[in-house]
Amino acid sequence: MSLRVAFVSHASTDALRLARIPADEPLNEVGRRECGRREQMSAERVRIAPELRAIETAQALGLVGETDAGLSEIDYGPWRGLETDQLPPDDFMAWLTDPEFKTEGVESIVELIQRVSAWLFTTAAAKQHTIAVTHPAVIRAAIVTALDAPATAFWRIDIPPLSVTRFHYRGVWTLRSTGYDYPKLTP
């Protein structure tokens, strides 16, 4: 069976614009305008990250679905809402360069990849075409998983706001496309 999943990256927020570690913030004006220019979407199954910016993106795109903790943003713990220059510099640099690095309350990149990999295989078992509205980091982790790439490739993938990244499942996950192609969306 061929299964399709389309990951939609949430629209713009102030944290994206300011290079700030995200908290649970709403879309900004730019993000709301971006959503207003997109076509309505649909699929058999819609899953939405529980953070406000993903929920607002889904609503603006006319998507109704269930929130799914497996699609949650990286757990930044005590770093949430801080500017990058407010973070402990050694810890932040280690976290950016060593995917296994773990510091108090902050999810490592390897942990995120494992969580997203589990979500992908649970989704395969559901056997329904799915749209997932989530975060750039989650989409990067899905790409690393599908390509069986090393975790060090994580930060080399750019996922812009409101981009769509498509995957197929035929016994293994494959990356089909990534970019701004905005379908009527049957993934």
Side-chain angles (χ1 to χ4, degrees):
M1 173 190 173
S2 177
L3 172 70
R4 296 179 306 254
V5 173
F7 283 92
V8 178
S9 180
H10 67 75
S12 294
T13 65
D14 286 340
L16 282 174
R17 186 176 58 80
L18 299 171
R20 183 178 67 221
I21 302 295
D24 194 12
E25 73 248 350
L27 300 180
N28 61 17
E29 276 306 309
V30 171
R32 285 189 282 283
R33 279 195 310 273
E34 289 168 344
C35 288
R37 292 192 296 261
R38 301 296 189 187
E39 294 181 32
Q40 296 292 302
M41 305 169 69
S42 65
E44 297 171 278
R45 182 175 181 255
V46 175
R47 294 294 181 261
I48 305 162
E51 292 80 15
L52 182 59
R53 57 198 178 276
I55 292 168
E56 286 185 355
T57 298
Q59 290 169 343
L61 297 174
L63 292 169
V64 178
E66 296 178 27
T67 57
D68 189 325
L71 295 171
S72 295
E73 175 67 282
I74 293 174
D75 185 353
Y76 293 106
W79 294 358
R80 276 188 209 98
L82 298 178
E83 304 286 332
T84 56
D85 63 358
Q86 295 175 304
L87 300 176
D90 292 341
D91 284 354
F92 185 52
M93 186 52 64
W95 184 76
L96 289 173
T97 57
D98 178 0
E100 293 184 29
F101 180 80
K102 186 157 177 56
T103 187
E104 183 78 28
V106 179
E107 187 173 27
S108 75
I109 299 305
V110 167
E111 290 171 326
L112 172 68
I113 292 168
Q114 291 167 345
R115 174 168 52 89
V116 172
S117 179
W119 185 90
L120 281 166
F121 288 98
T122 299
T123 298
K127 299 180 182 176
Q128 291 180 299
H129 301 309
T130 302
I131 294 173
V133 181
T134 189
H135 309 277
V138 171
I139 299 168
R140 283 186 202 110
I143 291 171
V144 167
T145 297
L147 298 179
D148 199 20
T152 54
F154 178 86
W155 291 112
R156 296 180 187 162
I157 303 165
D158 186 26
I159 304 295
L162 276 181
S163 61
V164 178
T165 304
R166 299 168 183 277
F167 295 84
H168 275 176
Y169 183 78
R170 295 183 190 106
V172 296
W173 285 102
T174 58
L175 177 63
R176 181 172 179 217
S177 68
T178 186
Y180 287 105
D181 68 318
Y182 224 68
K184 292 186 180 173
L185 240 145
T186 308

